Amino acid sequence: MAITYEVRFQTVDPKRRDEYVKHYIQALQSSKEAGAKGGYVLCSEDDPSSVLVLLEWETKEHHLRWRGTPPHQKFRAAIDGWQTEPSTGGYYLAEKI
C-alpha cells in the first residue's frame, strides 16, 4: 500500500536555519492530532538556505481537513516570516524499495 507524503521545499535565511527547524518542529506538533504520522525536516549540506519537509499523513484528506482549522492557523502564524521565499511542493505516494 502506498504511503501519502506531503513534501515542502523551503528557503530560509542560512543564519537562522537551525533556529527555524527547531521552531518549525515545535509548531507542527498539532498536526499529529489531525492524522500526521511523523516525518523529517531535511537540511541541505550543499545549500544552507534549503530545507525539505517530508510529512507522512494517513491520507491526503487528513491533511486537507487539518488546513484552515484553529491548530493549523496557529501553526501558520508561528512559522510566518521565517521563510525567505514561498514554499513549493505537493503530495507524493511512496512505495518502499
Side-chain angles (χ1 to χ4, degrees):
M1 182 167 102
I3 299 170
T4 300
Y5 285 97
E6 176 192 6
V7 179
R8 304 304 306 167
F9 300 95
Q10 302 173 341
T11 305
V12 299
D13 179 345
K15 295 176 193 143
R16 298 182 69 201
R17 184 173 77 177
D18 291 343
E19 185 182 2
Y20 169 73
V21 169
K22 182 179 176 181
H23 193 76
Y24 189 94
I25 291 170
Q26 182 180 5
L28 193 60
Q29 293 307 303
S30 67
S31 69
K32 291 180 180 177
E33 297 170 13
K37 298 174 88 177
Y40 297 94
V41 177
L42 306 171
C43 298
S44 172
E45 288 187 344
D46 300 320
D47 178 356
S49 68
S50 181
V51 175
L52 184 145
V53 175
L54 181 66
L55 296 176
E56 182 180 342
W57 287 90
E58 289 184 36
T59 65
K60 178 180 176 179
E61 288 71 28
H62 280 84
H63 179 248
L64 294 176
R65 282 194 299 265
W66 182 60
R67 295 184 88 168
T69 64
H72 180 256
Q73 291 171 349
K74 185 177 177 181
F75 161 73
R76 295 297 312 158
I79 64 163
D80 188 39
W82 285 83
Q83 297 177 18
T84 57
E85 296 178 25
S87 64
T88 61
Y91 301 98
Y92 293 77
L93 297 176
E95 298 288 343
K96 187 167 176 80
I97 298 173

